[in-house]
Amino acid sequence: MLIAYENVGKTFETLEGDLTAVRDVNLAVRRGEFVTLVGPSGCGKSTLLNMAAGLFAPTVGTVRYDGEEVAPYNQRVGYMTQNDHLLPWRDARDNVLVPLEIRGMGRGEAQDRVDELLEQLGLKGFERAYPSQLSGGMKKRTALARLLAYDPEALLMDEPFGALDAQLRLKMQIEILRLARTLRKTVVFVTHDLDEAVSLADRTAVFSARPGTIIRVVDVPLGEERDLLTLRRDSAYRDLTAELWDHLSPTVDHAEG
Ligand code: ADP
Ligand code: MG
């Protein structure tokens, strides 16, 4: 197991009193697995990723990474959120360079690594473009390149494509699946979109409304070579999304917002 949640609960102290975001979460993510977490807004999905990243500890239970309790700032994971946070004063190449600079990688080696990544993500020719000159898709690709820069074992992705239009989103989904497979990454991918949850996953965990807990974990046996462009016509895919929707729909009334 690479990432394991064991009886995890998290309660925040707020001005209005204690707020339990998640409770009794048990989930073990195998090395190389692509697991999606899907559930209504406010059910604690981001909270769970934050704990795997070591941003804060659970109130009860244990979050483990490679067998050890997660310590503050888990350096072995890469974290990506909906907001790319590209630095506007740096071009694409220098944005991807940031995590390597932080790690103190030598300039030459770092530049080579960045160029390789930009090529891998189809950004060749745009190295010197600033974020304001890049399309939405290219910004996402730049953020993905930066995420992969120091070659983290595991990727924690929090609704990374949430703000994109449908077509671009599909493109980025194809891209992340390709990267996860070829680079053999372990991925925990949070989404509130059931289609996205199923189309990317080896397994998907469905959460209840807050306090969030796992209602169901479903295997998604659609294969490694699934074609996201035609998946929606696949009957196995349709059965799975229908089944998941049956689990998710009772939570709709209790979602925040
Ligand atoms: P999701 O990502 O599923 O939408 P979150 O994990 O962001 O849910 O939040 C779950 C609940 O915990 C929400 O009600 C949110 O307001 C609350 N919450 C999250 N982080 C904090 C915090 N640092 N302090 C207080 N409450 C928080
Ligand atoms: Mg969230």
Side-chain angles (χ1 to χ4, degrees), residues 40-47 49-50 79 158-159 190 192:
S41 177
C43 75
K45 303 181 294 297
S46 299
T47 298
L49 288 193
N50 288 336
Y79 203 163
D158 195 355
E159 311 202 26
V190 160
H192 58 254

Side-chain angles (χ1 to χ4, degrees), residues 12-220:
F12 293 106
E13 288 169 20
T14 73
L15 292 175
E16 287 87 44
D18 285 355
L19 182 150
T20 298
V22 288
R23 64 177 174 85
D24 304 322
V25 172
N26 284 286
L27 179 70
V29 179
R30 293 184 281 272
R31 205 176 269 279
E33 202 178 16
F34 200 125
V35 172
T36 56
L37 313 183
V38 62
S41 177
C43 75
K45 303 181 294 297
S46 299
T47 298
L48 287 170
L49 288 193
N50 288 336
M51 291 188 287
L55 299 183
F56 49 71
T59 316
V60 293
T62 311
V63 184
R64 291 185 193 283
Y65 187 86
D66 203 10
E68 306 279 325
E69 192 168 341
V70 173
Y73 309 114
N74 183 353
Q75 302 276 337
R76 288 165 69 183
V77 300
Y79 203 163
M80 181 166 174
T81 61
Q82 192 170 52
N83 190 324
D84 303 320
H85 296 296
L86 295 176
L87 303 174
W89 61 89
R90 282 183 167 224
D91 62 27
R93 198 174 191 219
D94 287 346
N95 263 288
V96 180
L97 204 56
V98 170
L100 302 180
E101 284 175 355
I102 290 171
R103 271 158 202 254
M105 188 185 274
R107 189 86 191 162
E109 189 188 351
Q111 293 285 6
D112 288 349
R113 171 90 188 121
V114 169
D115 288 342
E116 174 194 323
L117 279 161
L118 290 173
E119 167 138 34
Q120 231 171 22
L121 280 146
L123 288 163
K124 220 171 153 45
F126 295 92
E127 295 89 344
R128 300 267 75 121
Y130 287 87
S132 62
Q133 300 168 307
L134 294 170
S135 68
M138 284 175 177
K139 276 192 263 212
K140 274 290 163 205
R141 285 169 192 277
T142 308
L144 269 178
R146 186 187 51 188
L147 174 74
L148 296 168
Y150 63 86
D151 203 23
E153 275 173 325
L155 309 179
L156 307 176
M157 307 191 77
D158 195 355
E159 311 202 26
F161 311 141
L164 304 179
D165 67 57
Q167 259 115 336
L168 190 50
R169 191 170 189 172
L170 184 57
K171 267 183 117 156
M172 295 312 301
Q173 289 169 349
I174 291 169
E175 193 73 51
I176 191 62
L177 264 191
R178 180 182 72 82
L179 289 166
R181 301 286 183 229
T182 55
L183 303 174
R184 308 218 160 271
K185 298 296 179 193
T186 305
V187 185
V188 184
F189 187 110
V190 160
T191 178
H192 58 254
D193 181 314
L194 201 84
D195 278 311
E196 184 166 70
V198 174
S199 51
L200 297 177
D202 296 319
R203 277 192 305 152
T204 183
V206 183
F207 282 78
S208 70
R210 203 189 74 217
T213 196
I214 297 176
I215 311 173
R216 193 74 206 272
V217 179
V218 187
D219 283 318
V220 181

